[in-house]
Amino acid sequence: MKDRRIAPAFNTLADDERKAAFFQVLASIPPGRVTSYGRIAELAGLGRGARLVGRWLGQLPEGTQLPWHRVLNSQGKLSLGPDTPSGREQRERLAAEGILVRNDRVNLRHYAWPEPPAPSQGQA
């Protein structure tokens, strides 16, 4: 008979630490600013874990105080449909913070957090 190994439990200490880092970054997004799933993953040390960030955002409890509404895709597009309750809530919250949503997009050059580094001056 083959040696079968049992997969490790998903709720390991490392997973808890990763989720804590995710929550810390999410909580750090200031009002009036937005960021992307991928940027949260990067800042939380999750590498290219944008899909994981999306999954964890979808698992937040109803009524959470975390600013889930400030997370968009990498092109600044809102992922939640305008005809869904969560999509309407996201648009209302962004508007209340002074964030302009046009054609289901937000101008990341204007509202992105953290701000991208300023372009360096050309050196000779």
Side-chain angles (χ1 to χ4, degrees):
M1 184 171 208
K2 261 188 174 174
D3 179 26
R4 294 183 185 206
R5 297 180 189 254
I6 298 174
F10 286 105
N11 207 5
T12 64
L13 181 59
D15 287 338
D16 290 343
E17 290 171 357
R18 290 172 44 180
K19 210 165 197 179
F22 157 74
F23 287 133
Q24 185 174 4
V25 172
L26 180 61
S28 299
I29 307 168
R33 305 303 291 273
V34 296
T35 196
S36 69
Y37 299 96
R39 189 71 170 124
I40 288 179
E42 181 184 329
L43 293 169
L46 303 173
R48 296 176 52 93
R51 288 180 189 230
L52 180 60
V53 167
R55 184 178 328 134
W56 286 345
L57 285 170
Q59 294 171 353
L60 290 173
E62 192 169 328
T64 182
Q65 295 301 305
L66 291 169
W68 59 268
H69 61 284
R70 298 180 188 141
V71 184
L72 315 172
N73 77 16
S74 62
Q75 287 81 42
K77 188 166 196 260
L78 282 67
S79 297
L80 300 170
D83 297 328
T84 65
S86 294
R88 284 190 294 272
E89 182 179 355
Q90 182 179 32
R91 284 158 180 79
E92 289 168 6
R93 287 181 175 214
L94 292 173
E97 294 180 4
I99 297 174
L100 178 63
V101 177
R102 212 181 231 168
N103 297 323
D104 290 332
R105 289 184 189 268
V106 170
N107 182 338
L108 292 178
R109 281 184 241 143
H110 186 74
Y111 296 106
W113 176 89
E115 292 183 37
S120 61
Q121 298 292 325
Q123 296 179 2

